[in-house]
Amino acid sequence: MDEAAERWDVFCRVVDNYGDVGVAWRLARQLAREHGKRVRLWVDDLTVLAKLRPEIDPAYDIASLEGVEVLRLREPFDVEGVADVVVETFGCDPPEAYVLAMAACPARPRWINLEYLSAEEWVEGSHALPSPNPRLPLTKHYFFPGFTARTGGLLREGDLLARRDAFQRDAPAQAAFWKALVGRAPPDGAMKVSLFGYAGAPFDSLVRASAHHPGPLWIVAPEGAAATVLRARVAATPASIRQNDQDGGKRRETAIFTVPFLPQDRYDELLWACDVNFVRGEDSFVRAQWAGRPFVWNIYPTDDGAHWVKLSAFLARYTAALDRAHAAAVTTLWEAWNRPAGESGDKPGPGMSAAWPGFLARLDDLKGHALDWSGALAVRRDLTAELVDFADNVLK
Ligand code: TRH
């Protein structure tokens, strides 16, 4: 550890699920590994980080992982030094005692709020704006991830695409991955689909709509809402049919695998190994784009319906280079996937039965598009590099 290196404190409070800490961990690791920063990552719920990084034992308040000091964020907070740069993720506010200590520093730390990702146009106008503290001599700056040059970009490790390409070119590595995950490699020509979504997504309808796929189709769901629905479905399927499902898809049936929640880096491999990825929230949504494979986004639903605007904004960008029929196939499936299930649970999905085969029928072209999309995004500097540049050259 370089004692002279710039100190960064990254704060994370887990509001729900995995994305808050998923993003905070990725950022902290990259700051340490690729930018040589001395990084402390403060997380209020280490059990969630432990799901993504099983090396973390949530029984302990402190751990060291990949050059990052991981600490439990608890209140009252004992301030042990203030960093040069302070990042709060998703407006989570550092503890009051820490903020007071920031204000008391002769050289005020640079304070950044890393916001949520959106493809909406207003993001460009809000990115990098200052927000002076009403009580203290401190200014916090908003930093918005995004898809355009006038936003903060997307998290992407320096070697990510090279590792992806190497894995996707390496058939034995993929076979070994599948064997370790589900006990065998998929049959030739199998369509592999990963499934991660929110409770209420029409998982059951997806399986039903897969039945007519002309070839073996594997659906793989890490532990969570999708796995719960699929497990119940498998349990309710007569044993004779289940036997067919388990034969590796040779008889063209859909094979369903529920697997444990994967460590975060292994989840990337699942995305790289699949032909279509159903993802959700924020971080898996971005990882699916870096996988360079067609994907379906289950957006985090909000009561006021604002998520539909966010979904449309992304779809408009993502489908802009597609012809009308391909764009419609993507949009129709994404809208069907995000439509809430009926009151009584996962009813036959409005539209999934047509939308999914329509999407699969265009998969070859959509694969090319997904790769082009990730290539176009990768031309931009990644979010961590943008953030370091912002801290060094704008805030200093
Ligand atoms: O878990 P999410 O729904 O997290 C969220 C919430 O929507 C939250 O409200 C929002 O604030 C936040 O995102 C930003 O979905 P997300 O963002 O995709 O995060 C999931 C993380 O879990 C991501 O880092 C990938 C990781 N993951 C694994 O490590 N292993 C797995 O097996 C799976 C399925 C996911």
Side-chain angles (χ1 to χ4, degrees), residues 18 21-22 25-26 29 33 41 46-58 63-68 70 261-266:
Y18 309 105
V21 78
W25 162 252
R26 266 187 214 297
R29 175 173 65 177
R33 276 212 315 213
L41 171 63
L46 289 173
T47 61
V48 185
L49 181 55
K51 292 273 283 182
L52 309 183
R53 293 301 310 232
E55 303 92 328
I56 297 287
D57 182 345
S64 174
L65 188 61
E66 296 200 53
V68 176
V70 179
F261 195 85
L262 303 174
Q264 201 184 40
D265 293 337
R266 192 130 182 270

Side-chain angles (χ1 to χ4, degrees), residues 15-23 26 51-52 90 116 195-196 198 222-223 259-267 270 279-285 287 300:
V15 178
D16 60 4
N17 303 324
Y18 309 105
D20 306 291
V21 78
V23 166
R26 266 187 214 297
K51 292 273 283 182
L52 309 183
F90 308 116
Y116 291 98
L195 204 48
F196 180 44
Y198 294 113
E223 199 50 55
V259 299
F261 195 85
L262 303 174
Q264 201 184 40
D265 293 337
R266 192 130 182 270
Y267 179 61
L270 177 65
V279 290
R280 75 182 200 191
E282 176 153 336
D283 192 50
S284 59
F285 165 60
R287 303 311 278 188
Y300 188 82

